[in-house]
């Protein structure tokens, strides 16, 4: 990246903010002229519609759980991994359901680089190389081998004949424990059990220490967890920053990087890896000597009477990967807005699955289709939202959020100026207990909606009631992770986002156990949790689409940032000052109060004249655009695709900071090389975040030009 001075960075951001405002002002004037004749009736319609549409949507809940169950069964009949023939049937099913509901439908095809297994083998050998026994790489929970064999997408081809070392979960602290025991993993095959965070991060940590390969053990239930190990962010590795358009067969006329390009090679681990069954891992562990396993490392293991290694036996592991450009398909259903068709409320769920996908993703897919069904009934009854609603079914999420990322990259300018919010549901139901993650301006709306939805497990209570009871208060996670389709919308495009689900963990994640049978007997037998997610998700869309003033609360945002500043102090050197950020947050508090008061006054007006309708449109766009000001146009240092200074995932997979990402990255680097330059780099990021917060305040107030007479 070319170094850029703070002054130049500030000017670039000013130009980026001013241009949208100029374009929007012109559109406002045109909008006012065209719509002034119906302003009063529009206000009355909007007030009535906001209430009646919520009631109408909820009135369609009876028997909805039965239709959700039926769709889920249909979606999970057979495997449908992205880029394989089985993927076409689920795309057709979703498209047909959206059309049946009466929504306007369309699709978009992309051709990214995907990764599949070609050949693999595993065996145990004596120190002299003679064979002890071949080991199984199949999944016990898939005895008929119907599914794609367990593998790690984008693991490179490779082979290793080396002693094994057991590294518990493969976390930084686990490798440090091995070092204290005098065990080095270089030139070894590292065996870990799942649960150490992102599997790509586990492989990268082992590779940094010179390991030859990594095996990740599944759980005792017979399932083996498939997944991607791609590094450096989401999306097609060959088209970073632009959509992977063009057909599979085209090459010369399609903009793609070469697979051998350094920018592409950095996206893949440098050593091969493979998921294995717990019983296979136990066979390896039985032959491992060395220091005994620490007591806390024995949890979840089938074989506990073993050492950490290395050796004395050898593990022979080979893997051959097939990388190919394959076609994927995103599917959409749309309801054009009555009064503001150029403002988008976007709901999304992915459709591809490693196995049958009853939990991941089709508990979400079936729920999305229920929302489409309800919207169709509402359309036939005469309802039409004020703003446009788009329902999205993404493909190739499991390979690294590819379908959604390519669509965001291809439509970035449109989304920057028109997208109000993105509402994501991946695994709608994977257990008990409501969970939500969101950008803070959506907190209040989320709380209000959960107070209107009946709890699926406790009669007479709302989702809000049991949520508060279970967590001792409202606990809303932030989206500083890149593990589902919200990442392109928030981390790259700066669009306010929501993600929600029932249950904390699912043991059958990405395994053959993720089946309709599990959902029907254990996950949600009555499909009432699916129903609760459908109601919350649908009401969220209706409120954002129909409310006259967008229900965004930036006072909550400012308060959350204040909490972050207090927490950040514990990680910083005393010489580093956080006063600039604190002052900027006070400015944001004032701007948020100003916007809130302005919205209240506009909502109280009984008759909207030309001036009032323009002011409403302007205020809504300020509320919509404010989140974009947290973006750094050049991207984060060393990770240009990620642009959100607050909520992009940290560079360090084990970072204890889930906010102020650019500061967190600078702190992580300072641990590796302490010195004056590192402290300066941290302070620079503090100033970058300060300016971003001030930009948000300026947008909320409607400042266009700053200066003095």
């Amino acid at each position: 990246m070319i170094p850029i001075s703070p002054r130049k960075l500030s000017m670039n951001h000013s130009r980026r903010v001013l241009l949208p405002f100029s374009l929007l002002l012109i559109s406002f004037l045109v909008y006012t002229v065209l719509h002034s004749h119906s302003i009063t009736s529009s206000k009355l319609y909007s007030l009535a519609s906001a209430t009646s549409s919520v009631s109408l949507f909820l009135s369609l809940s009876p028997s909805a759980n039965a239709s959700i169950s039926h769709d889920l069964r249909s979606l999970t009949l057979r495997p449908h991994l992205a880029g394989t023939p089985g993927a076409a049937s689920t795309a057709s099913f979703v498209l047909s359901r959206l059309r049946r509901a009466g929504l306007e439908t369309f699709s978009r095809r992309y051709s990214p680089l995907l990764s599949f297994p070609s050949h693999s083998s595993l065996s145990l050998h004596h120190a002299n190389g003679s064979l002890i026994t071949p080991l199984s790489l199949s999944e016990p929970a898939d005895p008929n081998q119907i599914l794609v064999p367990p593998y790690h997408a984008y693991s490179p081809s490779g082979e290793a004949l080396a002693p094994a070392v057991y590294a518990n979960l493969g976390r930084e602290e686990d490798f440090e424990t091995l070092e204290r025991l005098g065990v080095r993993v270089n030139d070894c095959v590292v065996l870990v059990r799942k649960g150490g965070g992102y599997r790509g991060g586990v492989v990268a940590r082992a590779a940094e220490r010179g390991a030859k390969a990594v095996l990740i053990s599944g759980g005792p239930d017979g399932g083996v967890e498939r997944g991607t190990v791609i590094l450096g962010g989401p999306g097609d590795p060959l088209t970073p920053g632009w959509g992977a358009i063009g057909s599979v067969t085209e090459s010369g006329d399609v903009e793609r990087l070469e697979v051998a390009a350094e920018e592409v090679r950095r996206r893949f681990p440098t050593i091969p890896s493979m998921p294995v069954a717990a019983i296979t891992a136990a066979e390896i562990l039985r032959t491992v000597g060395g220091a005994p396993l620490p007591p806390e490392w024995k949890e979840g293991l089938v074989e506990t009477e073993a050492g950490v290694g290395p050796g004395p036996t050898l593990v022979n592991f080979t893997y051959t990967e097939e990388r190919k450009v394959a076609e994927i398909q995103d599917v959409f259903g749309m309801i054009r807005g009555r009064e503001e068709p150029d403002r988008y409320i976007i709901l999304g769920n992915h459709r591809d699955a490693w196995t049958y996908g009853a939990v991941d993703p089709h508990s979400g897919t079936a729920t999305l289709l229920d929302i489409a069904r309800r919207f169709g009934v509402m359309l036939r009854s005469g309802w039409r939202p004020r703003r446009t609603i788009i329902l999205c079914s993404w493909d190739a999420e499991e390979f690294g959020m590819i379908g959604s990322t390519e669509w965001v990259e291809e439509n970035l300018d449109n989304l920057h100026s028109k997208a109000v919010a993105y509402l994501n549901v991946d695994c709608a139901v994977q257990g008990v207990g409501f969970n939500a993650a969101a950008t803070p301006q959506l907190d209040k709306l989320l709380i209000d909606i959960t107070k209107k939805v009946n709890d699926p497990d406790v009669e007479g209570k709302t989702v809000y009631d049991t949520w508060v009871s279970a967590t001792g208060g409202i606990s809303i996670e932030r989206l500083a992770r890149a593990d589902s389709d919200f990442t392109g919308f928030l981390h790259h495009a700066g669009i306010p986002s929501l993600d929600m689900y029932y249950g904390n963990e699912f043991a059958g994640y990405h395994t053959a156990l993720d089946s309709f049978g599990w959902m029907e007997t254990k996950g949600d037998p009555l499909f009432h949790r699916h129903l609760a997610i459908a109601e919350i998700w649908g009401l969220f869309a209706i409120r954002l689409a129909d409310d006259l003033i967008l229900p965004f609360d930036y006072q909550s945002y400012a308060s959350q940032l204040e909490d972050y500043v207090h927490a950040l102090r514990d990680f910083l050197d005393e010489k580093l000052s956080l006063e600039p950020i604190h002052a900027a947050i006070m400015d944001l508090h004032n701007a948020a109060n100003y916007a809130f008061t302005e919205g209240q006054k506009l909502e109280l007006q009984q008759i909207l004249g030309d001036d009032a309708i323009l002011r409403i449109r302007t205020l809504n766009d300020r509320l919509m655009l404010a989140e974009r000001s947290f973006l750094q146009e050049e991207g984060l240092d060393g990770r240009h695709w990620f642009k959100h200074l607050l909520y992009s995932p940290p560079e360090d997979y084990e970072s204890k900071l889930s906010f102020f990402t650019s500061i967190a990255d600078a702190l992580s680097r300072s641990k590796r090389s302490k010195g004056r330059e590192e402290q300066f780099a941290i302070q620079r990021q503090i100033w970058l975040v300060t300016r971003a917060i001030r930009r948000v305040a300026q947008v909320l107030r409607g400042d266009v030009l700053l200066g003095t007479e």
Side-chain angles (χ1 to χ4, degrees):
M1 182 176 72
I2 299 173
I4 185 165
S5 69
R7 174 72 174 172
K8 185 176 179 183
L9 183 63
S10 179
M11 291 173 63
N12 283 348
H13 274 288
S14 296
R15 288 195 293 269
R16 182 167 57 83
V17 170
L18 285 174
L19 183 57
F21 267 114
S22 301
L23 295 173
L24 289 170
L25 183 58
I26 294 171
S27 69
F28 296 157
L29 295 173
V30 174
Y31 177 88
T32 302
V33 171
L34 294 176
H35 293 267
S36 60
H37 69 281
S38 60
I39 285 169
T40 304
S41 61
S42 295
K43 169 71 180 295
L44 295 174
Y45 173 84
S46 180
L47 289 174
S49 175
T51 302
S52 62
S53 57
V54 166
S55 300
L56 180 55
F57 184 86
L58 291 176
S59 74
L60 298 172
S61 288
S63 76
N65 56 329
S67 66
I68 292 172
S69 171
H70 180 270
D71 283 346
L72 184 62
R73 183 188 293 274
S74 299
L75 287 160
T76 56
L77 290 175
R78 55 189 64 86
H80 44 279
L81 182 61
T84 68
S89 62
T90 53
S92 297
F93 181 86
V94 170
L95 194 59
S96 68
R97 281 289 190 268
L98 294 174
R99 285 173 177 163
R100 179 187 296 181
L103 276 58
E104 180 181 340
T105 61
F106 58 99
S107 63
R108 185 63 169 140
R109 298 177 188 271
Y110 297 102
S111 299
L113 181 71
L114 301 184
S115 169
F116 302 94
S118 177
H119 172 76
S120 58
S121 66
L122 187 66
S123 56
L124 277 174
H125 295 253
H126 293 292
N128 63 7
S130 61
L131 178 68
I132 297 175
T133 182
L135 298 174
S136 173
L137 284 172
S138 62
E139 181 176 25
D142 181 30
N144 297 321
Q145 299 187 11
I146 296 171
L147 304 168
V148 63
Y151 80 107
H152 286 158
Y154 303 108
S155 167
S157 299
E159 58 185 34
L161 178 62
V165 171
Y166 181 67
N168 193 29
L169 298 174
R171 301 166 300 183
E172 194 71 30
E173 64 187 78
D174 297 321
F175 286 110
E176 291 172 357
T177 297
L178 287 174
E179 290 169 7
R180 286 195 296 271
L181 292 171
V183 178
R184 297 173 60 84
V185 303
N186 60 301
D187 293 327
C188 294
V189 173
V190 173
L191 174 65
V192 301
R193 62 185 177 90
K194 69 174 185 176
Y198 176 53
R199 65 189 75 80
V202 172
V203 176
R205 282 190 286 274
E208 287 171 2
R209 290 165 170 82
K212 286 192 169 183
V214 175
L215 302 174
I216 301 182
S217 170
D221 53 14
V224 181
E225 182 184 302
R226 300 149 181 83
T228 184
V229 290
I230 199 165
L231 304 171
D236 174 30
L238 302 184
T239 59
W242 66 94
I245 57 176
S247 73
V248 173
T249 56
E250 291 175 326
S251 57
D253 296 330
V254 177
E255 184 182 10
R256 292 191 184 106
L257 298 178
E258 295 292 331
V259 175
E262 176 61 25
E263 186 176 354
V264 176
R265 290 194 294 112
R266 285 199 303 266
R267 301 291 304 279
F268 310 131
T270 56
I271 60 174
S273 63
M274 175 71 73
V276 298
I279 56 173
T280 298
E283 286 193 70
I284 297 173
L285 275 176
R286 288 190 192 101
T287 70
V288 175
L293 292 175
E296 63 272 19
W297 284 20
K298 295 181 180 181
E299 181 183 351
L301 288 180
V302 175
E303 176 59 55
T304 59
E305 299 304 318
V308 295
T313 56
L314 303 177
V315 173
N316 187 17
F317 169 55
T318 65
Y319 176 69
T320 305
E321 177 200 20
E322 180 189 6
R323 288 181 190 161
K324 63 180 181 181
V325 173
E327 186 174 83
I328 65 171
Q329 181 182 11
D330 293 339
V331 173
F332 305 89
M334 183 167 66
I335 305 170
R336 293 186 186 273
R338 180 193 295 266
E339 293 160 288
E340 298 182 73
D342 59 342
R343 294 295 177 264
Y344 307 149
I345 316 302
I346 306 171
L347 287 70
N349 158 265
H350 76 92
R351 190 183 63 252
D352 62 307
W354 287 111
T355 62
Y356 302 105
V359 170
D360 181 13
H362 293 312
S363 59
T365 311
T367 304
L368 185 69
L369 295 179
D370 178 63
I371 292 172
R373 177 189 65 83
R374 297 185 196 215
F375 283 169
V377 174
M378 293 168 69
L379 285 170
R380 291 189 290 275
S381 73
W383 168 80
R384 185 168 293 277
R386 179 184 185 88
R387 304 175 186 94
T388 294
I389 297 175
I390 306 174
L391 276 59
C392 312
S393 175
W394 309 117
D395 202 355
E397 187 270 357
E398 299 293 8
F399 286 86
M401 287 69 71
I402 291 179
S404 58
T405 299
E406 301 312 303
W407 191 74
V408 168
E409 290 174 343
E410 185 183 14
N411 296 281
L412 190 59
D413 289 341
N414 247 342
L415 293 172
H416 267 164
S417 60
K418 298 176 182 178
V420 173
Y422 175 69
L423 312 177
N424 187 70
V425 171
D426 193 325
C427 307
V429 179
Q430 56 186 6
V432 180
F434 179 71
N435 296 276
T439 45
Q441 73 272 71
L442 300 178
D443 287 359
K444 186 176 183 298
L445 179 58
L446 177 62
I447 291 169
D448 289 347
I449 288 172
T450 55
K451 290 178 179 178
K452 293 179 170 61
V453 175
N454 292 330
D455 186 85
D457 298 301
V458 183
E459 190 172 354
K461 299 289 186 179
T462 65
V463 170
Y464 174 82
D465 294 333
T466 55
W467 189 17
V468 170
S469 176
T471 58
I474 290 298
S475 176
I476 302 175
E477 182 195 353
R478 299 308 171 205
L479 292 166
R481 48 186 170 85
D483 58 1
S484 194
D485 290 302
F486 56 78
T487 186
F489 290 90
L490 177 59
H491 304 143
H492 191 69
I495 296 166
S497 297
L498 168 76
D499 186 43
M500 56 186 174
Y501 50 95
Y502 262 88
N504 290 314
E505 291 185 7
F506 170 50
Y509 178 70
H510 289 185
T511 76
L513 301 172
D514 187 3
S515 65
F516 182 81
W518 181 88
M519 185 65 74
E520 189 179 40
T521 58
K522 297 179 181 179
D524 190 17
L526 298 177
F527 287 83
H528 286 168
R529 293 173 199 147
H530 287 76
L531 190 61
I533 289 291
E535 292 181 349
I536 297 169
W537 203 3
L539 293 187
F540 227 106
I542 289 170
R543 287 289 307 277
L544 290 172
D546 276 347
D547 278 19
L548 187 67
I549 307 294
L550 288 176
F552 285 177
D553 180 16
Y554 280 93
Q555 294 163 316
S556 293
Y557 218 132
S559 296
Q560 178 71 89
L561 295 184
E562 194 66 40
D563 292 341
Y564 291 161
V565 171
H566 293 311
L568 184 61
R569 294 186 195 279
D570 295 335
F571 295 88
L572 295 181
D573 187 290
E574 293 179 356
K575 296 177 182 178
L576 293 169
S577 174
L578 288 174
E579 285 309 306
I581 292 184
H582 181 75
I585 293 171
M586 292 303 101
D587 188 29
L588 179 57
H589 268 296
N590 294 331
N593 288 334
Y594 176 85
F596 176 74
T597 302
E598 183 180 355
Q600 282 188 316
K601 290 178 180 178
L602 287 169
E603 284 191 320
L604 289 173
Q605 290 188 224
Q606 297 299 312
I607 298 177
L608 298 181
D610 293 359
D611 177 66
I613 199 69
L614 178 58
R615 286 170 58 200
I616 288 172
R617 174 84 166 182
T618 304
L619 173 60
N620 280 335
D621 282 342
R622 280 154 44 199
L623 294 169
M624 177 185 73
L625 290 170
E627 186 75 39
R628 318 286 199 267
S629 291
F630 285 123
L631 300 180
Q632 179 163 296
E633 192 170 9
E634 295 80 7
L636 303 185
D637 288 350
R639 301 187 299 142
H640 305 319
W641 188 90
F642 290 106
K643 299 181 183 298
H644 205 289
L645 289 168
L646 267 62
Y647 290 130
S648 292
E651 182 178 43
D652 180 358
Y653 291 109
E654 296 187 1
S655 173
K656 292 180 171 60
L657 289 176
S658 58
F659 50 84
F660 292 158
T661 309
S662 64
I663 299 175
D665 286 353
L667 280 168
S668 295
R669 292 171 191 146
S670 72
K671 294 176 183 176
R672 298 192 291 267
S673 177
K674 293 185 178 180
R676 189 173 179 180
E677 289 186 4
E678 282 68 33
Q679 295 301 301
F680 175 77
I682 296 170
Q683 188 65 63
R684 176 177 176 270
Q685 295 304 324
I686 290 173
W687 281 111
L688 287 176
V689 171
T690 298
R691 288 200 294 274
I693 296 171
R694 290 200 179 279
R695 286 195 301 270
V696 175
Q698 291 166 15
V699 171
L700 286 175
R701 280 193 301 265
D703 297 344
V704 176
L705 295 174
L706 299 178
T708 58
E709 294 184 0

